[in-house]
Amino acid sequence: MISHIPTSEQLFSELPFAELLLDEPLFEAVESLGFDMMTEVQASAIPQALHGKDLIVNAKTGSGKTLAYLLPMLQQILDNPQTVSQALILAPTRELCRQINKQCSLLAKFTDIHAAVIIGGEDPKHQIKALQTFPEIIIATPGRLLEHVKREVIDLESINILVLDEADRMLAMGFSDEVISIATHCNEECQTVLYSASYNQNKFALLTDAILYDAEVLMVDSTREDNRNITQQKILSDDRAHKLKLCKYLLENEKYSKAMVFANKKETVNVICGWLQSENITSAFIHGDVDQDKRNQQLRKFRTGEINIIIATDVAARGLDISDLDLVINFDVPHNGEDYMHRIGRTGRMTETGSAITLVDANEWNNMISIEHFLDIKCPLRKIGALPARYKGPENQKSSGKAFGKKRKKASEKKTVKKVKNRSKNRVRDKKNIGKRRQPSAKHHSE
Ligand code: ADP
Ligand code: ADP
Ligand code: MG
């Protein structure tokens, strides 16, 4: 059963939170955060979730999805208090889990509801202690949680609300077996809710077939979201050295409060950070090989503004909600359109504005064009007069905007090889088939 909510360019619905008839402590918490009107995704998902429906929800980055699943979860726990853990939120990164926990404590501050964060990189002993107090809500990354399940530290049988935030990312990280295994350990009657800004029916099929029951699909925004409040540009670059200079130039000359620089590899993050330091620009950095205490410390400094530049891999591309972040630089073109969308979605949250600048070298040109096509956007080329690129973009462009060039040569080389191969194959077959009727199609294939 699919119910499509029409794509809306409007972020806010016409409905105030008061419409929801939430218990007083929750309503007061929402008020104390200064929230009055629900966003579109909140107005459509909260009532459905309160009815206990399984849901798949897609809404753009920065549209308030966290509240859309936390509020009904808290209300359901107030309606049906138990002495055991009853709700579980899975998210792909440790930082995101911590952020969700913060949001959750703000909303639950006038209730007795508690949450525990179960993530990798932290001492399991403390987590075991926390679990033994039976927090109503568990917020976890799949890997560590499943370890606790296997060690029988925790029994998920009492979980009757399961939320997967950034669900597609967990699948892309190869966590689908873990997620399915966790979901099957939850109560049979468990309500399961999937959230994402980049829902893809085909990629989700495995998960949805295995763990959802008669789910409602709420598409509040299309996957290929149009981020009107984010200015997007691309700058041609030659190589890493040139990119480093461009990056420094932008960080020194753009107007911004906080900037996030994304690179595709951990090593590149280290290089950028080290180089900026040598140029007397201090930046924080986050990637998977940085130990967790340091990761937490760096992100804290960035959130508070003690450091206003952070360099990161895609580990920081999902879900993080950081105030005053108004510049994203893609040092490398991301691998695909979804990653691009999530990276730039760290800026321009809610009604804020931001800008996103992608550095594109000759090898990345075609990928950038694919991303623009996928998201149906056109990033204008910007030139930095002080740092001109030798690379001027492809000399010959296909109608798609992609470069011809080397690839075409390679393709024709391949063809020749294939032809030669086929010809010799044919001769063998011809010998074998002496006296037999020739297959006309065989000849056809070799041409
Ligand atoms: P998403 O998960 O969709 O990317 P978040 O849940 O992180 O977005 O929310 C983005 C920001 O909007 C957060 O800072 C959150 O506190 C704020 N926010 C959420 N709901 C509302 C609302 N109804 N009105 C104003 N701000 C809101
Ligand atoms: P992750 O791989 O989930 O990111 P870590 O790399 O920080 O987590 O894991 C640290 C170690 O803690 C691992 O060797 C893991 O096996 C161990 N561990 C996890 N859960 C428990 C537990 N309940 N009791 C004892 N050790 C655990
Ligand atoms: Mg989110």
Side-chain angles (χ1 to χ4, degrees):
M1 207 202 312
I2 290 184
S3 104
H4 280 283
I5 299 219
T7 306
S8 161
E9 278 171 21
Q10 204 182 305
L11 180 62
F12 283 94
S13 67
E14 308 272 299
L15 302 171
F17 281 100
E19 283 279 310
L20 291 174
L21 302 174
L22 296 169
D23 282 7
E24 204 53 34
L26 293 182
F27 184 64
E28 273 175 23
V30 171
E31 270 196 322
S32 77
L33 291 173
F35 301 165
D36 175 22
M37 304 304 278
M38 285 188 270
T39 63
E40 285 277 341
V41 63
Q42 291 161 355
S44 56
I46 295 175
Q48 299 261 20
L50 284 170
H51 278 112
K53 289 236 28 142
D54 278 8
L55 298 174
I56 296 173
V57 186
N58 187 89
K60 67 184 231 167
T61 54
S63 62
K65 293 190 286 295
T66 322
L67 215 85
Y69 62 73
L70 283 177
L71 265 189
M73 175 183 285
L74 290 165
Q75 183 61 50
Q76 288 176 94
I77 294 172
L78 289 175
D79 288 342
N80 178 26
Q82 288 177 18
T83 52
V84 287
S85 301
Q86 43 174 322
L88 170 61
I89 301 165
L90 293 180
T93 68
R94 302 164 183 182
E95 283 74 14
L96 188 51
C97 287
R98 292 163 62 92
Q99 178 183 296
I100 294 165
N101 182 44
K102 229 186 258 169
Q103 179 95 274
C104 184
S105 355
L106 287 174
L107 289 172
K109 67 182 168 186
F110 301 124
T111 72
D112 292 328
I113 300 174
H114 291 99
V117 177
I118 305 295
I119 53 183
E122 283 181 356
D123 190 345
K125 277 194 227 117
H126 297 308
Q127 298 179 348
I128 293 167
K129 263 200 189 140
L131 289 171
Q132 280 164 349
T133 67
F134 296 110
E136 284 82 358
I137 301 173
I138 297 168
I139 304 168
T141 47
R144 179 58 72 86
L145 184 76
L146 203 56
E147 288 236 20
H148 289 308
V149 172
K150 283 183 184 152
R151 287 169 205 259
E152 297 182 358
V153 171
I154 178 177
D155 179 4
L156 299 178
E157 177 60 30
S158 61
I159 298 292
N160 45 38
I161 303 172
L162 171 63
V163 172
L164 310 183
D165 198 358
E166 303 286 351
D168 59 316
R169 179 65 183 169
M170 289 192 280
L171 298 190
M173 286 165 87
F175 268 142
S176 62
D177 289 348
E178 279 86 348
V179 169
I180 290 171
S181 171
I182 289 170
T184 46
H185 277 92
C186 293
N187 193 289
E188 216 176 307
E189 307 271 290
C190 183
Q191 171 189 27
T192 305
V193 180
L194 265 66
Y195 270 84
S196 170
S198 43
Y199 170 68
N200 174 319
Q201 196 166 359
N202 295 333
K203 284 188 197 160
F204 274 51
L206 177 71
L207 202 60
T208 50
D209 291 352
I211 67 175
L212 292 177
Y213 173 73
D214 193 18
E216 198 90 18
V217 182
L218 306 178
M219 301 290 288
V220 181
D221 290 286
S222 69
T223 307
R224 296 147 201 219
E225 77 180 58
D226 185 4
N227 262 310
R228 281 177 209 281
N229 48 343
I230 305 174
T231 313
Q232 300 172 56
Q233 298 171 328
K234 56 180 184 265
I235 298 178
L236 295 178
S237 1
D238 295 324
D239 47 30
R240 184 185 265 185
H242 186 223
K243 283 190 172 191
L244 286 170
K245 285 184 197 150
L246 284 168
C247 187
K248 179 192 168 207
Y249 178 91
L250 292 170
L251 291 172
E252 283 180 339
N253 293 284
E254 289 293 284
K255 280 207 181 84
Y256 63 92
S257 302
K258 287 182 192 165
M260 195 160 206
V261 181
F262 282 106
N264 291 354
K265 291 186 174 155
K266 300 169 193 169
E267 182 247 341
T268 316
V269 169
N270 293 339
V271 170
I272 299 169
C273 197
W275 190 78
L276 289 176
Q277 195 57 56
S278 73
E279 298 285 317
N280 293 319
I281 300 175
T282 303
S283 59
F285 61 100
I286 282 198
H287 60 64
D289 287 348
V290 179
D291 83 66
Q292 195 55 35
D293 282 346
K294 179 104 184 164
R295 265 163 75 163
N296 296 344
Q297 178 207 352
Q298 300 271 316
L299 191 61
R300 198 179 310 122
K301 284 186 178 170
F302 187 59
R303 280 192 193 277
T304 59
E306 190 182 325
I307 299 178
N308 72 336
I309 299 167
I310 195 162
I311 325 290
T313 56
D314 285 290
V315 75
R318 292 283 180 144
L320 295 186
D321 183 59
I322 295 158
S323 56
D324 301 326
L325 206 177
D326 44 7
L327 174 64
V328 168
I329 298 173
N330 287 316
F331 189 89
D332 300 311
V333 174
H335 296 301
N336 56 55
E338 276 142 13
D339 287 349
Y340 177 89
M341 184 188 90
H342 286 281
R343 283 184 182 186
I344 73 161
R346 293 318 99 217
T347 181
R349 300 185 68 73
M350 282 282 139
T351 51
E352 290 176 11
T353 54
S355 77
I357 304 171
T358 304
L359 309 183
V360 185
D361 69 23
N363 295 320
E364 295 172 316
W365 175 270
N366 280 356
N367 196 18
M368 187 63 199
I369 297 296
S370 301
I371 290 171
E372 289 178 50
H373 280 296
F374 173 74
L375 296 172
D376 199 16
I377 51 167
K378 199 130 192 70
C379 299
L381 265 179
R382 173 165 159 202
K383 284 184 183 152
I384 305 292
L387 293 165
R390 291 188 304 278
Y391 175 54
K392 303 289 178 217
E395 279 171 29
N396 300 310
Q397 285 184 27
K398 300 182 202 174
S399 57
S400 65
K402 288 192 180 176
F404 276 124
K406 281 179 197 158
K407 266 204 172 152
R408 188 164 60 163
K409 235 184 189 171
K410 262 188 198 159
S412 60
E413 275 165 14
K414 260 189 202 158
K415 245 187 195 165
T416 341
V417 174
K418 211 172 170 189
K419 260 190 183 166
V420 173
K421 254 189 182 170
N422 280 351
R423 219 178 276 149
S424 63
K425 244 190 199 165
N426 260 352
R427 276 201 293 270
V428 175
R429 185 162 40 216
D430 286 348
K431 273 182 203 161
K432 276 189 184 166
N433 285 349
I434 287 172
K436 284 185 193 163
R437 192 171 161 257
R438 276 185 67 134
Q439 300 273 327
S441 60
K443 194 184 167 214
H444 207 85
H445 270 303
S446 69
E447 279 167 2

